[in-house]
């Protein structure tokens, strides 16, 4: 019998703590092959976002790249880890995305997408979270975020230059 494939997802963001500003996120997917670890990465940005949204976006886009398998998501975001481990997203889904107080769940759109991906990949038993403040890919992901920021800045500068010429 063939052993089920396991993928590790490592997440980094430019945001931390309670703030709303433009935020970058990156995720690296790693799986073991007969030739050693194989990796893929992604970088993204959302304007006027929060730390929690950035982590959820990175997780969603990473999961979208996978076929059904076991997944371990490494992040330092204890809020996302705690909610997932305590089955809150499933509870929110059953109560039409309302908290027990009647207040609407924040980031409902992303939690719905996240749950859809979890279900597509085989359900909650297939996806786990691991608290990880430091990991082997932290510097690599930070560098990829920085490259994305520089690329966006260059595009903006080119666009501004075009506007001046008009």
């Amino acid at each position: 019998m063939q052993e089920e494939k396991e993928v590790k997802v490592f997440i980094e963001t430019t945001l931390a703590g309670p703030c709303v500003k433009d935020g970058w996120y990156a995720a690296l997917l790693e799986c073991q092959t007969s030739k050693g670890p194989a990796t893929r990465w992604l970088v993204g940005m959302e304007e006027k976002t929060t730390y929690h949204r950035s982590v959820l976006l990175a997780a969603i886009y990473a999961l979208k790249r996978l076929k059904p398998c076991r997944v371990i998501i490494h992040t330092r975001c204890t809020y996302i880890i705690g909610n997932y481990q305590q089955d809150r997203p499933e509870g929110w889904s059953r109560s039409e995305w309302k908290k027990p107080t009647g207040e609407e769940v924040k980031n409902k759109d992303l939690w719905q997408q996240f749950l859809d991906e979890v279900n597509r990949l085989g359900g909650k038993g297939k996806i786990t979270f691991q608290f990880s403040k430091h990991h082997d890919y932290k510097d690599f992901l930070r560098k990829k975020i920085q490259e994305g920021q520089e690329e966006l800045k260059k595009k903006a500068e080119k666009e501004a230059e075009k506007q001046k010429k008009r």
Side-chain angles (χ1 to χ4, degrees), residues 2 12 20 33 51 57 61 84 99 111 128 158 166:
Q2 189 177 6
E12 286 297 321
V20 176
T33 69
Y51 173 55
L57 283 165
Y61 289 124
Y84 182 73
K99 294 180 181 180
W111 281 113
T128 58
K158 280 184 181 178
R166 290 182 183 168

Side-chain angles (χ1 to χ4, degrees), residues 47-61:
E47 294 179 353
K48 294 181 179 64
T49 193
T50 64
Y51 173 55
H52 298 149
R53 281 189 69 82
S54 293
V55 172
L56 279 170
L57 283 165
I60 290 164
Y61 289 124

Side-chain angles (χ1 to χ4, degrees), residues 25-159:
Y25 55 87
L28 184 134
L29 296 82
E30 176 197 78
C31 79
Q32 291 298 323
T33 69
S34 58
K35 297 177 183 176
T39 60
R40 293 183 125 185
W41 54 271
L42 63 93
V43 174
M45 186 269 248
E46 185 177 65
E47 294 179 353
K48 294 181 179 64
T49 193
T50 64
Y51 173 55
H52 298 149
R53 281 189 69 82
S54 293
V55 172
L56 279 170
L57 283 165
I60 290 164
Y61 289 124
L63 295 177
K64 283 181 181 287
R65 292 183 169 203
L66 299 173
K67 293 180 179 173
C69 63
R70 296 190 58 72
V71 181
I72 301 171
I73 301 172
H74 295 260
T75 179
R76 67 181 190 276
C77 186
T78 56
Y79 175 78
I80 301 297
I81 294 170
N83 278 324
Y84 182 73
Q85 289 175 342
Q86 294 170 20
D87 296 325
R88 287 197 182 118
E90 291 88 351
W92 294 331
S93 176
R94 286 191 300 274
S95 63
E96 298 181 17
W97 299 97
K98 301 260 191 262
K99 294 180 181 180
T101 60
E103 178 186 2
E104 188 158 301
V105 172
K106 289 181 182 167
N107 301 315
K108 164 185 151 181
D109 58 329
L110 296 182
W111 281 113
Q112 285 174 314
Q113 289 178 56
F114 180 77
L115 275 185
D116 289 345
E117 289 304 313
V118 168
N119 291 329
R120 184 185 65 78
L121 294 171
K124 189 166 193 285
K126 301 283 185 171
I127 315 292
T128 58
F129 275 88
Q130 177 72 47
F131 177 78
S132 182
K133 202 170 197 174
H134 304 286
H135 53 77
D136 292 344
Y137 298 110
K138 184 178 182 103
D139 291 340
F140 174 84
L141 290 172
R142 293 255 174 225
K143 183 178 178 229
K144 291 300 176 189
I145 287 172
Q146 188 175 21
E147 288 171 4
Q149 290 171 322
E150 289 167 7
E151 190 177 312
L152 188 65
K153 186 178 177 184
K154 284 179 187 173
K155 281 183 185 177
E157 287 169 355
K158 280 184 181 178
E159 192 59 38

